[in-house]
Amino acid sequence: MPQLLAGKTALILGIANRWSLAYAIAQAFHREGAKLILTYQGERLKQTVEELAAGFNAQTLACDVTKDDDLARLTNELKNQGTVLNSVVHAIAFAEREDLSRPFAQTSRGGFALALDVSAYSLVAVAHAVSPVMAPPDQGGGSILTLTYLGSSRVVQNYNVMGVAKAALEASVRYLANDLGPSNIRVNAISAGAVKTAAARGIRDFSKMLESAAKLAPLRRNTDPAEVADAAVFLASDLGRGVTGNVLFVDAGIQIMGFALSE
Ligand code: NAP
């Protein structure tokens, strides 16, 4: 079978470790022949990400998405080395742990601003930073993909301020898709089902959430990160060329459910 991303270069932001959804996406992109560039937030994650990158023969670059200087440096480094990007994956979110456990009504101004900055505004900032190095329209343009969650539009206990951030993220996907569409840059989100990762462990009672989701989902199981990654391949590849401004659910179907009677 031909590789779906052969000849394409992808920038992936948000690998913390082997359990990261961004790592599953990197594995799938590598399998499909993409050349990879991976970013890490800071020195704390440098070694881990470099070790993982070695498995893909990928370049690594530092980038804290809350720092404009880091984003400007990312653009310059990519420009200076003549990189032309076909695909960008934004898999980044953060909220204070207490804002993912106490009642939403108690969210502080600072906690709200932080969650929205890291988890939603950063997509806008990243899109702005990569636009100058995306492939031109006549060379296929490109794809920008972010990861979201059902808590954007439904109340999910303890997801709290992150749900508000995901709502802003999904709205940003639509506005960016409209702005960047004329440059043939597509912007989409995958709404992934719950997966146990470092970020998810910050949500109070996350294991209980996983148990309930597996019982309620039409497929009667949780989401496998590889399923999210394969959908990301589709959106980054030419197969997804007509899709933009979209939120694609890869969640074993749980988003269609209202409520179920307990057994
Ligand atoms: P993860 O492995 O912990 O990844 C989150 C990443 O965001 C980490 O690499 C983290 O780096 C990075 N990050 C946080 N602040 C940053 C900053 N200022 N600059 C650069 N990077 C920063 O968890 P994940 O679950 O795979 O999360 C990836 C995305 O999937 C997130 O948007 C998340 O909301 C979304 N998602 C997750 C699930 C789930 O159930 N796991 C479901 C749906 C959607 P540090 O470790 O250095 O902070």
Side-chain angles (χ1 to χ4, degrees), residues 45-67:
L45 285 184
K46 186 173 193 274
Q47 195 186 340
T48 310
V49 175
E50 280 178 353
E51 282 168 14
L52 296 176
F56 306 129
N57 212 5
Q59 182 187 1
T60 59
L61 295 170
C63 183
D64 179 335
V65 294
T66 60
K67 296 185 178 150

Side-chain angles (χ1 to χ4, degrees), residues 6-166:
K8 293 194 190 289
T9 300
L11 175 73
I12 301 183
L13 303 97
I15 295 183
N17 53 45
R18 284 182 187 282
W19 294 274
S20 295
L21 290 175
Y23 182 66
I25 293 173
Q27 284 179 303
F29 277 26
H30 178 67
R31 180 194 73 213
E32 297 299 333
K35 181 180 164 198
L36 300 183
I37 303 170
L38 312 179
T39 73
Y40 53 90
Q41 185 187 170
E43 285 304 309
R44 187 172 54 83
L45 285 184
K46 186 173 193 274
Q47 195 186 340
T48 310
V49 175
E50 280 178 353
E51 282 168 14
L52 296 176
F56 306 129
N57 212 5
Q59 182 187 1
T60 59
L61 295 170
C63 183
D64 179 335
V65 294
T66 60
K67 296 185 178 150
D68 289 337
D69 288 352
D70 275 28
L71 287 159
R73 201 183 54 230
L74 179 70
T75 311
N76 285 336
E77 281 176 342
L78 294 172
K79 253 191 203 165
N80 292 342
Q81 65 190 33
T83 297
V84 176
L85 292 177
N86 309 100
S87 174
V88 176
V89 176
H90 168 280
I92 287 173
F94 183 78
E96 297 288 6
R97 191 172 266 263
E98 65 257 32
D99 287 329
L100 301 173
S101 56
R102 63 185 173 190
F104 173 67
Q106 292 172 20
T107 308
S108 67
R109 193 184 297 274
F112 190 98
L114 178 67
L116 272 280
D117 184 21
V118 179
S119 317
Y121 177 71
S122 66
L123 178 69
V124 183
V126 166
H128 185 68
V130 299
S131 290
V133 289
M134 293 293 282
D138 59 347
Q139 288 173 35
S143 147
I144 298 177
L145 173 69
T146 188
L147 296 178
T148 187
Y149 180 62
L150 183 63
S152 63
S153 49
R154 310 276 170 83
V155 172
V156 175
Q157 210 172 337
N158 296 326
Y159 201 63
N160 298 358
V161 71
M162 191 54 78
V164 178
K166 292 301 192 192

Side-chain angles (χ1 to χ4, degrees), residues 157-217:
Q157 210 172 337
N158 296 326
Y159 201 63
N160 298 358
V161 71
M162 191 54 78
V164 178
K166 292 301 192 192
L169 180 72
E170 290 173 21
S172 302
V173 163
R174 292 185 282 274
Y175 280 92
L176 288 169
N178 182 51
D179 276 2
L180 302 179
S183 305
N184 203 15
I185 296 173
R186 298 176 292 108
V187 188
N188 292 290
I190 291 176
S191 186
V195 172
K196 199 172 235 172
T197 61
R201 276 200 292 267
I203 301 163
R204 189 168 140 208
D205 290 335
F206 184 75
S207 297
K208 283 190 195 160
M209 210 167 126
L210 278 178
E211 267 174 46
S212 306
K215 285 188 193 140
L216 183 63

